[in-house]
């Protein structure tokens, strides 16, 4: 918990230092520190572009393979419900952003802010081993294929790659992210447009938190109708899990508390023990709301219009891409960087902005994820209990005959 809090603190500290450094250097007309930071950000950005395909393969292949290795109707129904919930979150976020952001966000803010371009001292080109699209297709093909093979030695290789990539992400990328973000914001503040950018971010977060809260209410309204229970009472029972997720910033680490809260909502132990660990991996409604809204905001601020045809495939891919995203702060956005680059065209300016926007609210996105897991468990409990009753009735009739 202290580690997660420390990361958020470092990001905010880096933002503060970067903004003030850029303003001071602009005031005294001293470019050297900004050029130094520009060199670091370019080198780190190139390394990030190199590692993104490996992150996608390391996360997605084991995630899909392990998911497919299980069997049964319960797995299929839970997966469908989780994916529908994730898609629903994405579409609601899109329509909210489409109606609100054009009225409040200033077009070309980031383009203007990056217009005073500070060149780096030197650059090292690091070519990725494959394109993001190739990595995505390869991951799906291998993940689905390996899910059909029991005790696959090849899957063990990808599991080890998952560990390697997770170590690179948690021990190299994530610790350097605050410096990367600080360098980008130093360049932005040096241009003189930083305060307009920060004002835009405040608007994005206001919309973001409102949509997350409304989506939790929507999920439990549906669960309450199905279970014939007051949705506010169901949500009240989930508050300990929500608060725990804010502290742990990890769906996996919150599983014990989530399970206890779900049982308090009168969900059977069997369903709870199956649904909650699975949903913690595949249900990412909170992250989807965050990434859809923040990516739309960044597009508006760079003079692009996030139309429905552009965002539709992105939303569909987002739920799949982040399956089995690592339980470390910023893991969700790291897993999504590939499709942000390949599908939305995000580059060296947009990607660090996305990391900063996501990291600042990561704990609330996680809390929205796991609270939604409780709603899925309630629905699954009703579905499975109904099927059990039908099976018992059929068996009873067979015996009488």
């Amino acid at each position: 918990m202290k580690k997660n809090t420390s990361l958020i603190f470092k990001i905010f500290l880096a933002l503060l230092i970067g903004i003030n450094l850029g303003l001071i250097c602009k005031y005294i007309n001293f470019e050297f520190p900004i050029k130094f930071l520009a060199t670091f950000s370019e080198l780190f950005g190139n390394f990030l572009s190199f590692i993104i395909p490996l992150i996608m393969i390391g996360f997605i292949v084991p995630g899909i393979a392990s998911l497919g290795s299980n069997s049964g109707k319960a797995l299929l129904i839970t997966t469908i419900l989780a994916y529908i919930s994730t898609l629903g979150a994405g579409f609601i976020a899109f329509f909210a952003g489409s109606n609100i952001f054009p009225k409040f966000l200033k077009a070309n803010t980031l383009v203007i802010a990056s217009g005073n371009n500070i060149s780096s001292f030197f650059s090292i080109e690091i070519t990725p081993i494959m394109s993001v699209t190739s990595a995505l297709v390869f991951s799906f093909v291998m993940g689905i294929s390996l899910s059909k093979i029991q005790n696959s030695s090849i899957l063990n290789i990808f599991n080890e790659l998952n560990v390697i990539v997770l170590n690179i992400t948690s021990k190299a990328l994530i610790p350097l992210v605050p410096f990367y973000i600080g360098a980008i914001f130093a360049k932005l503040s040096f241009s003189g447009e930083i305060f307009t950018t920060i004002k835009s971010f405040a608007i994005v977060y206001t919309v973001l938190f409102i949509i997350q809260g409304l989506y939790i209410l929507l999920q439990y309204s549906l669960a309450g109708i199905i279970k014939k229970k007051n949705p506010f009472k169901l949500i009240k029972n989930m508050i300990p899990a929500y608060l725990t997720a804010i502290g742990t910033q990890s769906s996996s680490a919150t599983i014990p508390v989530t399970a206890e809260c779900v049982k308090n909502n009168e969900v059977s132990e069997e369903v709870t023990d199956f649904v909650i660990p699975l949903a913690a991996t595949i249900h990412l409604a909170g992250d989807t709301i965050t990434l859809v809204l923040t990516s739309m905001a960044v597009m508006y601020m760079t003079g692009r219009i996030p139309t429905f045809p552009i965002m539709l495939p992105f939303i569909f891919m987002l739920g799949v891409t982040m399956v089995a995203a690592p339980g470390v702060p910023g893991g969700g956005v790291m897993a999504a960087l590939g499709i942000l680059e390949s599908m939305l065209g995000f580059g060296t300016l947009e990607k660090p902005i996305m990391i900063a926007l996501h990291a600042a609210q990561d704990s609330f996105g996680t809390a929205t994820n796991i609270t939604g897991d409780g709603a899925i468990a309630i629905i699954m409990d009703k579905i499975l209990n109904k099927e059990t009753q039908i099976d018992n009735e059929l068996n009873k009739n067979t015996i009488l005959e």
Side-chain angles (χ1 to χ4, degrees):
M1 184 170 176
K2 287 182 179 179
K3 191 174 182 179
N4 295 338
T5 304
S6 176
L7 175 64
I8 296 173
F9 174 76
K10 288 176 182 177
I11 289 173
F12 280 114
L13 184 62
L15 282 171
L16 186 63
I17 293 174
I19 290 170
N20 281 281
L21 179 62
L23 292 174
I24 293 171
C25 289
K26 178 179 174 61
Y27 181 75
I28 63 176
N29 195 25
F30 184 45
E31 290 189 358
F32 178 82
I34 309 301
K35 288 177 70 70
F36 176 81
L37 292 175
T39 304
F40 168 78
S41 64
E42 185 168 343
L43 291 175
F44 186 83
N46 289 341
F47 176 71
L48 191 61
S49 297
F50 170 79
I51 207 71
I52 282 173
L54 297 178
I55 289 176
M56 298 182 74
I57 295 171
F59 289 169
I60 296 174
V61 173
I64 294 178
S66 61
L67 185 63
S69 64
N70 295 298
S71 60
K73 190 179 292 185
L75 171 68
L76 178 62
I77 297 173
T78 305
T79 303
I80 291 173
L81 284 176
Y83 192 60
I84 290 174
S85 175
T86 301
L87 290 181
F91 290 133
I92 290 173
F94 169 77
F95 288 114
S98 297
N99 286 284
I100 297 172
F101 288 161
K103 300 175 183 177
F104 296 99
L105 297 185
K106 184 179 177 182
N108 294 319
T109 302
L110 291 179
V111 174
I112 295 171
S114 61
N116 192 352
N117 190 29
I118 301 296
S119 60
S120 58
F121 289 117
F122 63 91
S123 178
I124 300 175
E125 188 67 29
I126 309 175
T127 305
I129 59 174
M130 66 175 72
S131 69
V132 169
T133 304
S134 298
L136 198 58
V137 173
F138 177 81
S139 299
F140 288 156
V141 171
M142 292 301 296
I144 294 171
S145 300
L146 290 173
S147 69
K148 309 299 180 183
I149 304 175
Q150 293 185 347
N151 301 320
S152 170
S153 56
I154 298 178
L155 180 57
N156 290 334
I157 295 175
F158 283 105
N159 285 331
E160 290 182 3
L161 176 62
N162 176 270
V163 174
I164 293 171
V165 170
L166 182 57
N167 284 333
I168 293 173
T169 302
S170 61
K171 296 180 180 179
L173 293 182
I174 297 296
L176 288 175
V177 158
F179 299 99
Y180 184 41
I181 293 170
I184 295 296
F185 274 82
K187 291 170 63 180
L188 289 175
S189 63
F190 190 80
S191 70
E193 288 286 329
I194 189 63
F195 295 111
T196 304
T197 304
I198 292 174
K199 180 181 177 181
S200 299
F201 289 171
I203 295 169
V204 174
Y205 283 129
T206 301
V207 176
L208 174 63
F209 291 133
I210 291 173
I211 297 301
Q212 286 180 347
L214 290 176
Y215 195 67
I216 290 174
L217 181 60
L218 176 63
Q219 288 175 312
Y220 278 89
S221 295
L222 179 59
I225 292 171
I226 293 174
K227 195 175 178 64
K228 296 181 175 61
K229 292 284 186 179
N230 185 335
F232 292 101
K233 184 178 179 181
L234 297 175
I235 293 174
K236 179 183 176 182
N237 290 335
M238 292 298 298
I239 289 176
Y242 185 92
L243 296 177
T244 303
I246 290 176
T248 64
Q249 213 171 331
S250 167
S251 295
S252 300
T254 313
I255 285 175
V257 180
T258 308
E260 191 64 32
C261 292
V262 169
K263 290 173 185 176
N264 290 336
N265 277 333
E266 300 176 8
V267 175
S268 66
E269 186 172 348
E270 294 78 11
V271 172
T272 299
D273 291 344
F274 172 78
V275 172
I276 295 306
L278 177 61
T281 301
I282 65 175
H283 183 227
L284 301 155
D287 280 304
T288 301
I289 291 171
T290 300
L291 289 168
V292 170
L293 284 174
T294 52
S295 62
M296 290 177 67
V298 169
M299 290 177 74
Y300 277 119
M301 292 166 68
T302 52
R304 298 171 56 197
I305 305 297
T307 61
F308 188 69
I310 292 175
M311 296 302 295
L312 178 64
F314 174 72
I315 292 170
F316 273 103
M317 289 302 305
L318 199 55
V320 178
T321 303
M322 291 193 296
V323 168
V328 296
V333 70
M334 286 296 176
L337 285 177
I339 58 172
L340 286 168
E341 179 182 318
S342 63
M343 303 183 79
L344 300 185
F346 281 20
T348 54
L349 173 64
E350 296 92 346
K351 285 189 288 188
I353 298 293
M354 285 295 297
I355 294 172
L357 286 170
H358 185 275
Q361 65 74 62
D362 193 23
S363 56
F364 292 95
T366 302
T368 303
N369 290 342
I370 63 94
T371 306
D373 296 347
I376 290 178
I378 291 171
I379 297 172
M380 280 299 300
D381 189 56
K382 187 70 175 180
I383 292 172
L384 296 178
N385 284 340
K386 187 174 182 180
E387 288 187 352
T388 302
Q389 291 173 2
I390 293 173
D391 291 340
N392 291 339
E393 190 67 28
L394 289 173
N395 292 333
K396 182 179 178 181
N397 292 337
T398 302
I399 293 172
L400 291 176
E401 290 174 0

